Amino acid sequence: CGRCEALNIMRVFITGSAGFIGFHLARLLLEEGHVVHGYDGITDYYDVRLKQRRHALLRQYPAFTATEAMLEDATALQAAARAAQPDVIVHLAAQAGVRYSLQNPRAYIDANLVGTFNVLQVAQTLEPRHLLMASTSSVYGANTDMPFGEQQKTDLPLTLYAATKKANEAMAHAWAHIYGVPTTMFRFFTVYGPWGRPDMALFKFTQGILQGTPIDLYNRGDMRRDFTYVDDLVRAIRLLIDAAPPAPDRRRPEQGWQPIEGDSLSPVAPWRVVNIGNSEPVRLLDFVEAIEEALGKPALRNELPMQTGDVPATWADCTLLQRLTGYRPQTPVREGVRRFVAWYREYH
C-alpha cells in the first residue's frame, strides 16, 4: 500500500513461521514495525504445542496474520501469498533434521522438493523484490577443507536432507535465471537458542541432565560445531533482506555497481548463497560443559560411535555476510546456552 511505502514498511511472507527460526524472524520484523504473514503446516515432527505457542505469541502483534496449511498444498499457498501481496518472501519451512532423514525420507521429498517448488511458483507469479530461502551447512557434506566457503563445491551430500537442500539451491538458481526474481540462499550452521526444537542437541542435553538420564554423545563427543545463536541468525537474515543480488544487466560500473570480493553471485542470474555462522567451531564436550555450568548439574554421558550421515566438524567462513551487511554473528556459546537454559526453565 502507499502508506506502507511512505513509512518504509515491508510486507513479508514467511513460510515456517511457527518453526524455531521462522518465529524469531517474524518477531524481529514485527518489532521493527513490518507486516508479516506466516504460513506453517504445524506438522507433528515434534510437539505441536510448542509450534502453537510460538504462533500464539506472534498473534499478539496486530500486524501478524497466519495461514496453517501444508507447503505441498499449492492452491492454499498461492491463495495465502496472493492475499498477503508480499514485498519479500522468506522460505524457511522444511522437513528438518539430519538423522530423521534416515527414518522417513519421503517427508523430505514432499516438503523440501515439492514444497519448495510451490514456493518458487509463488515467487514467479507475485515477483517479490527479494526471495530468501534457507539452505544448510549440511550441503558441504564430505568437504574437509575448512572453514567452509560459499564457492566450495557441494557435490557430495551425506544425507537425503542435505541432498534436498542442495537441490533447492539449484532449483532457485534456475528460477532466478528464467524469471529474474532476486534470490538469496543462506546456509545455516547449527542454530540454537530459546524456543528451539526438541530434537536438537541443546534441548535434549538440557532435558537429559535435568532428568538425570544419560545424554548421547556421538563419536564419543569428539566433534566440533559452529554453533550460531538464533538472535544473531535472524539479525543476519534481516540485513540480507536489504542486500538483494543484482541482475546481470545491472552489474555495470557506470550504474554504480561495485563487485564484492569473494561474492558467490551467479554470472547468469540475480542469485547468491551466503553462510550464516558464528565462525568459531566449538568442541561438543565444551558445549556440554557450558550446559552443565548453566544448570549447575553434571551430565551422565553415553558415548557412542559416529552416526551415519554425520560429520566430525563444521566451520563457517562468514566473510561474505560481513561484506554484504557489515554484520557477523558473535554471541559466545556460554552466553547463548545460559539464555536457552533460562528460557527452558521458564517454559517448563
Side-chain angles (χ1 to χ4, degrees):
C1 65
R3 179 174 175 274
C4 290
E5 292 176 2
L7 296 174
N8 201 27
I9 295 174
M10 292 187 295
R11 296 183 301 274
V12 184
F13 187 85
I14 300 177
T15 70
S17 52
F20 173 36
I21 296 168
F23 161 72
H24 281 277
L25 178 63
R27 188 166 62 175
L28 173 62
L29 290 165
L30 290 164
E31 288 288 344
E32 288 187 355
H34 301 295
V35 176
V36 176
H37 187 87
Y39 188 95
D40 201 294
I42 317 289
T43 64
D44 61 359
Y45 169 60
Y46 61 83
D47 189 353
V48 297
R49 292 172 297 179
L50 183 57
K51 299 180 180 184
Q52 292 165 345
R53 181 72 184 277
R54 295 185 189 123
H55 255 188
L57 289 173
L58 293 176
R59 285 194 173 100
Q60 294 176 9
Y61 294 87
F64 179 78
T65 53
T67 299
E68 294 186 1
M70 299 294 286
L71 274 182
E72 298 92 313
D73 187 341
T75 301
L77 182 63
Q78 283 277 0
R82 283 183 181 276
Q85 286 296 301
D87 304 302
V88 173
I89 296 173
V90 185
H91 177 39
L92 297 169
Q95 178 56 61
V98 171
R99 296 184 178 116
Y100 186 63
S101 67
L102 302 173
Q103 303 167 29
N104 186 11
R106 172 65 63 179
Y108 294 77
I109 302 301
D110 293 341
N112 298 2
L113 297 185
V114 177
T116 295
F117 170 72
N118 291 339
V119 171
L120 290 172
Q121 286 200 306
V122 165
Q124 172 190 340
T125 302
L126 300 183
E127 299 182 337
R129 70 173 186 239
H130 198 178
L131 168 65
L132 300 97
M133 295 174 49
S135 185
T136 172
S137 61
S138 294
V139 300
Y140 289 108
N143 284 0
T144 56
D145 185 13
M146 287 184 274
F148 294 141
E150 293 89 349
Q151 296 188 9
Q152 286 181 245
K153 286 187 176 182
T154 53
D155 298 331
L156 302 172
L158 298 178
T159 64
L160 182 62
Y161 168 66
T164 60
K165 286 298 191 176
K166 171 64 176 175
N168 288 168
E169 293 183 5
M171 292 161 65
H173 181 271
W175 240 246
H177 170 67
I178 297 168
Y179 300 107
V181 177
T183 303
T184 297
M185 306 292 309
F186 28 73
R187 293 173 179 162
F188 299 154
F189 283 73
T190 316
V191 188
Y192 73 101
W195 295 99
R197 300 199 324 259
D199 65 314
M200 299 174 79
L202 178 54
F203 204 110
K204 291 194 293 187
F205 289 173
T206 300
Q207 185 178 55
I209 293 170
L210 286 174
Q211 293 176 351
T213 56
I215 62 172
D216 292 338
L217 297 178
Y218 292 99
N219 204 34
R220 296 169 181 81
D222 185 18
M223 304 174 76
R224 293 177 183 269
R225 289 290 181 269
D226 198 342
F227 292 101
T228 311
Y229 189 62
V230 66
D231 286 357
D232 291 350
L233 179 92
V234 298
R235 171 56 59 188
I237 295 172
R238 169 63 189 92
L239 293 170
L240 284 170
I241 287 176
D242 297 330
D249 61 2
R250 289 193 283 115
R251 298 172 199 168
R252 299 175 181 173
E254 65 270 20
Q255 295 177 334
W257 181 79
Q258 294 294 325
I260 297 172
E261 184 181 351
D263 202 348
S264 59
L265 190 61
S266 165
V268 295
W271 177 100
R272 66 160 55 98
V273 59
V274 183
N275 285 339
I276 306 179
N278 220 49
S279 303
E280 183 182 355
V282 173
R283 289 195 322 146
L284 183 59
L285 294 177
D286 291 337
F287 188 63
V288 171
E289 287 177 7
I291 303 170
E292 292 172 326
E293 180 182 298
L295 291 172
K297 186 177 180 181
L300 301 175
R301 306 182 185 197
N302 182 28
E303 296 185 349
L304 298 170
M306 181 76 86
Q307 194 171 48
T308 302
D310 232 338
V311 295
T314 63
W315 180 7
D317 181 344
C318 291
T319 305
L320 178 57
L321 172 65
Q322 188 164 24
R323 286 174 177 158
L324 287 168
T325 66
Y327 178 76
R328 183 189 290 262
Q330 56 188 355
T331 299
V333 162
R334 273 182 156 70
E335 174 61 20
V337 166
R338 185 190 64 76
R339 294 178 194 173
F340 171 84
V341 167
W343 167 80
Y344 185 93
R345 289 185 184 280
E346 181 180 1
Y347 182 76
H348 287 281

